[in-house]
Amino acid sequence: GQNIDQPTEMTATEGAIVQINCTYQTSGFNGLFWYQQHAGEAPTFLSYNVLDGLEEKGRFSSFLSRSKGYSYLLLKELQMKDSASYLCAVRERDYKLSFGAGTTVTVRA
Amino acid sequence: GAVVSQHPSWVICKSGTSVKIECRSLDFQATTMFWYRQFPKQSLMLMATSNEGSKATYEQGVEKDKFLINHASLTLSTLTVTSAHPEDSSFYICSARTGNTIYFGEGSWLTVV
């Protein structure tokens, strides 16, 4: 099984940076995903890490440390539209995705 | 545009009836499809893994006789909620895998009244 932990809520101001941490325990790690989900909608893919290190994609970056069972999603130059839930998901060798409970990010003007 | 399509997006059904939700991969053949359920303000919970031509593998606690999954082709999987009850009201989302990539459908809101 797996145990995925991430903070419940975070608040930041427009233009700022926010870092969402995720810790996990899994028996067969095969990649870590970050998804963005707006209320009432399906998740949309943000990033994927399978090797240690930082993956940068525009305003969003994701970091992974497999030995520590740790990842973070970094959101830079926050915009109001970034207010959403951010889901950390761990993929196992059978390609099943297990999701954390999600972090609700609120961006204030 | 969407590469995985779910239908219907919204459905309301009476308690005791059955409802079918379709998940289609539009321009690729999906090796595997997954079905998730999400209650309000909760995360996605995997219900079952569906492989074409074989029986679905259900997660612990998910009743296979209540949530019937059929994966008749490499582009279509269906989830039928049988004898639906109000507590089955939820957001149901499918995803489809091709190679290392997983695409999510748009989700289907089910309300049982």
Side-chain angles (χ1 to χ4, degrees):
Chain A
Q2 51 282 330
N3 191 6
I4 303 169
D5 290 315
Q6 51 182 127
T8 305
E9 294 179 327
M10 300 183 77
T11 301
T13 54
E14 206 173 5
I17 298 173
V18 70
Q19 177 174 316
I20 307 171
N21 296 322
C22 172
T23 59
Y24 65 89
Q25 294 174 313
T26 183
S27 52
F29 181 81
N30 187 23
L32 187 140
F33 293 76
W34 285 94
Y35 288 87
Q36 181 191 61
Q37 187 178 29
H38 285 99
E41 299 179 10
T44 54
F45 171 79
L46 289 179
S47 69
Y48 166 64
N49 295 69
V50 67
L51 299 176
D52 291 351
L54 187 68
E55 292 284 339
E56 297 187 81
K57 192 186 273 190
R59 294 189 298 116
F60 296 168
S61 303
S62 58
F63 172 82
L64 174 68
S65 169
R66 288 172 295 171
S67 61
K68 296 181 180 177
Y70 167 70
S71 173
Y72 68 72
L73 178 69
L74 197 68
L75 314 179
K76 293 180 257 187
E77 299 170 22
L78 278 174
Q79 302 174 9
M80 299 299 286
K81 67 178 181 179
D82 296 331
S83 292
S85 182
Y86 291 84
L87 308 175
C88 172
V90 173
R91 185 174 69 184
E92 301 203 341
R93 291 199 182 94
D94 57 5
Y95 290 91
K96 289 183 185 178
L97 274 180
S98 296
F99 286 84
T103 300
T104 300
V105 172
T106 302
V107 181
R108 299 194 188 281
Chain B
V3 294
V4 175
S5 175
Q6 269 185 251
H7 178 80
S9 300
W10 298 82
V11 58
I12 300 173
C13 71
K14 290 185 177 180
S15 189
T17 62
S18 296
V19 62
K20 181 187 288 188
I21 301 170
E22 293 186 347
C23 178
R24 292 182 186 273
S25 55
L26 298 182
D27 54 5
F28 66 94
Q29 292 185 326
T31 315
T32 308
M33 289 185 173
F34 302 91
W35 286 96
Y36 293 85
R37 179 169 53 181
Q38 185 178 34
F39 292 107
K41 298 194 176 182
Q42 295 186 24
S43 192
L44 283 76
M45 297 300 296
L46 180 65
M47 298 174 68
T49 303
S50 171
N51 292 294
E52 185 265 340
S54 63
K55 289 184 179 180
T57 303
Y58 290 82
E59 295 300 299
Q60 195 170 12
V62 178
E63 300 174 57
K64 61 180 181 181
D65 293 330
K66 180 170 180 61
F67 299 99
L68 300 178
I69 292 172
N70 183 283
H71 196 152
S73 75
L74 284 169
T75 60
L76 174 64
S77 177
T78 61
L79 167 69
T80 301
V81 182
T82 63
S83 187
H85 291 285
E87 57 265 30
D88 298 324
S89 299
S90 186
F91 189 45
Y92 291 86
I93 308 174
C94 73
S95 67
R97 177 175 84 89
T98 177
N100 275 323
T101 306
I102 295 175
Y103 297 97
F104 279 88
E106 307 102 320
S108 300
W109 283 100
L110 169 64
T111 301
V112 184
V113 298

